[in-house]
Amino acid sequence: MKDLIRKRKSIRKYDPAPLDAAILERVRSLFERVKPLYPEIPYSIEIASKTKGMFNIKAPQYLIFGSEEKEGFLENIGFIGQQIDLLLSEMGIGTCWLGAAKPTEKEDSPLPHVISMSFGIPAEPLHRESSEYKRKPLLDISEGTDPRLEAARLAPSAINAQNWYFIAEGGKIHCYRKKANPLLGLMFNRMHTIDLGIAICHIAEESKNFSFIKETNPPVRKGCVYTGTVI
């Protein structure tokens, strides 16, 4: 997945033809391969043909993510969904996270909707060169040294805000979400929390051994909310 992290892109133009049944079955098989950040939190993934809402993208199919709403569920969905994003990219299928899109039909899952993701055969280049990334420099989003921080830096985020912060020390990476402007907090704190789960997924993909814990006395970062520590 290291190569995919360094060339993936969000796809906003798709071939309108739905994926055939065999490919959709392969997509569903990916749901069994992902590993949650918090295994104790129930979640669901469904496939839909339509979504509605602001900033929606016309695509042949969508992934609909649901979850029980308990501490850590937003990071968990970001972590799970980004694994699927990378696996679909490996299959030649494009994706894009859709923060405001919701399913148009009643879902089979009883769990509340969290976020959606478009997917399909891309009608634009699936990958990009590293020079095409528009990301903040590591010094703006982290302190300390760890080679996995570059993978986190390249993660997608809502409106490309990259509203995360990482402190690397002694082989650990402490993970934080920057607090949003109070006027935008209700909407963006939710999205930025999902985004942090996406970035942690990239760190996990670059880790030989990965585990995630909450430390009792993590470093304090002004203006940030501590989420957990990769060890």
Side-chain angles (χ1 to χ4, degrees), residues 39-104:
E40 70 278 9
I41 302 178
Y43 70 92
S44 63
I45 311 171
E46 298 180 32
I47 295 177
S49 59
K50 293 181 181 180
T51 56
K52 61 181 179 180
M54 295 175 61
F55 314 116
N56 200 9
I57 290 175
K58 191 173 182 179
Q61 293 92 194
Y62 303 85
L63 294 177
I64 308 299
F65 295 92
S67 177
E68 182 176 309
E69 296 181 350
K70 57 195 301 186
E71 184 179 0
F73 80 99
L74 294 172
E75 300 98 310
N76 198 49
I77 289 297
F79 188 83
I80 290 164
Q82 190 59 16
Q83 290 173 70
I84 295 175
D85 176 294
L86 294 171
L87 289 167
L88 288 174
S89 182
E90 188 176 41
M91 289 173 57
I93 295 173
T95 63
C96 186
W97 286 95
L98 303 175
K102 298 181 179 181
T104 58

